[in-house]
Amino acid sequence: MQELAEICGYSRVSVSAALNGKGGISENAREKILRIAKEHNYTPNKMAHALKGLPSYLIGMLIRDLSNPFYTQMIKIIDDHLHKKGYSLIVLNSMADLEREKKALQTLYSYNVDGLFIAPFAKDNAVDNITSIVGNHKKPVIMLDNLSRDIGSMSIGFNNRSGAFEATQYLIDCGHTEISYLAGPESSLSYRERSAGFMNCMQKNELTINSNSIFPCGSSAEDGYTAALSLLKTKNRPSALFCFNDYIAVGVYRAAQELKLNIPQDLSIIGFDNINLTKLLSPALSTVNIHIDNVARDAAKNMLKFLKDENYSPQTKNHIFEPELIKRDSVRNLKK
């Protein structure tokens, strides 16, 4: 920075203020410094800033599965908001592995990040695993899951149970009684909530629960494809499938095509998440909108508030977004 200050003809303090968007200098001076910095391809050493006790302008994000469009959609929005304020987002993938999650958290803190977003992996000791690491650092932490409300500065999530209940009820209202739920990975924090919502709705409507009512599945399109092939080849195959997420539903579409089952005439499908891809499927996928974009914006805005004011305290520590049923073309109404 000293070399840049000499080239610009300003003090290090003025150059630092210009580069970091601080006050105390005129707009003309700021524009000149930024122009010269760009001409000389100047890149500030964020790690050096952090070692001096200054902000690194790095934000960490730990997610479970980078291949899932749910997370890539969320990452894009959060990154856009942070970028406008001069922050860079570092994303690490736990691959739903407890030990990898622990190492990833330690790595992010070693980069001296100013804050963290965490979409946690769920195992018996996962919460303790995160708490033991996060608790040693005085940096804002936003948990991207409403089931982790006791960790970090705040949590932002969605009502999984309500969304699953509403999706199942919609299938029942359309005349479906043979319904199977492709339940996703048991390690997911959302698994038990959505499973509970599905079971509650089935029981409330006095529908029979059998061995195929909740069908084991992973969380990817490949998992959905494999599970659907197995389930739909059974003698008493269901007339409707409720999928743990939209990505699984993509795999179900492929399986139905291979088995020459028409959607929705032969098989009705409803997903969960409302990722951007759902509108591009044919027929368009009915799903549960958990407002990914709103969750991401809320997370980014609150993180920026924490970074701006260390005494910031949100009115509600746990933000829960209510789901919305999106009716498209993948569910057949058997009553018509």
Side-chain angles (χ1 to χ4, degrees), residues 67-74 245-250 271-281 285 287-293 326 328:
S67 68
N68 191 329
F70 169 87
Y71 288 113
T72 54
Q73 188 171 328
M74 181 176 285
N245 63 28
D246 295 333
Y247 206 23
I248 288 175
V250 172
F272 202 105
D273 286 345
N274 194 35
I275 60 176
N276 292 330
L277 180 64
T278 56
K279 296 185 286 289
L280 301 178
L281 294 173
L285 178 67
T287 187
V288 176
N289 183 9
I290 56 174
H291 307 287
I292 301 172
D293 293 2
I326 304 295
R328 294 196 179 106

Side-chain angles (χ1 to χ4, degrees), residues 15-70:
V15 171
S16 176
L19 294 175
N20 293 303
K22 305 295 184 181
I25 61 172
S26 68
E27 284 305 310
N28 287 338
R30 185 189 308 278
E31 290 176 5
K32 179 181 177 181
I33 292 170
L34 292 177
R35 175 175 54 78
I36 294 175
K38 184 177 181 180
E39 290 173 354
H40 287 77
N41 296 316
Y42 175 77
T43 303
N45 189 329
K46 295 181 182 293
M47 295 297 289
H49 275 214
L51 291 173
K52 294 177 182 178
L54 299 172
S56 67
Y57 286 88
L58 298 174
I59 306 297
M61 187 170 185
L62 176 59
I63 61 171
R64 292 190 291 267
D65 182 7
L66 190 56
S67 68
N68 191 329
F70 169 87

Side-chain angles (χ1 to χ4, degrees), residues 73-141:
Q73 188 171 328
M74 181 176 285
I75 289 169
K76 182 182 184 303
I77 293 171
I78 290 177
D79 184 53
D80 285 346
H81 275 74
L82 296 179
H83 179 74
K84 292 174 183 177
K85 297 297 182 179
Y87 289 90
S88 297
L89 188 66
I90 302 175
V91 180
L92 294 185
N93 189 8
S94 73
M95 298 291 289
D97 179 87
L98 192 61
E99 189 59 32
R100 183 164 176 162
E101 179 179 78
K102 181 178 179 179
K103 290 181 179 179
L105 280 173
Q106 293 170 336
T107 298
L108 288 170
Y109 276 121
S110 74
Y111 291 157
N112 288 299
V113 293
D114 294 332
L116 267 179
F117 297 104
I118 303 176
F121 174 52
K123 276 292 184 184
D124 294 338
N125 57 340
V127 172
D128 293 337
N129 194 38
I130 294 173
T131 303
S132 64
I133 299 174
V134 169
N136 294 325
H137 300 271
K138 295 182 179 180
K139 301 290 180 71
V141 175

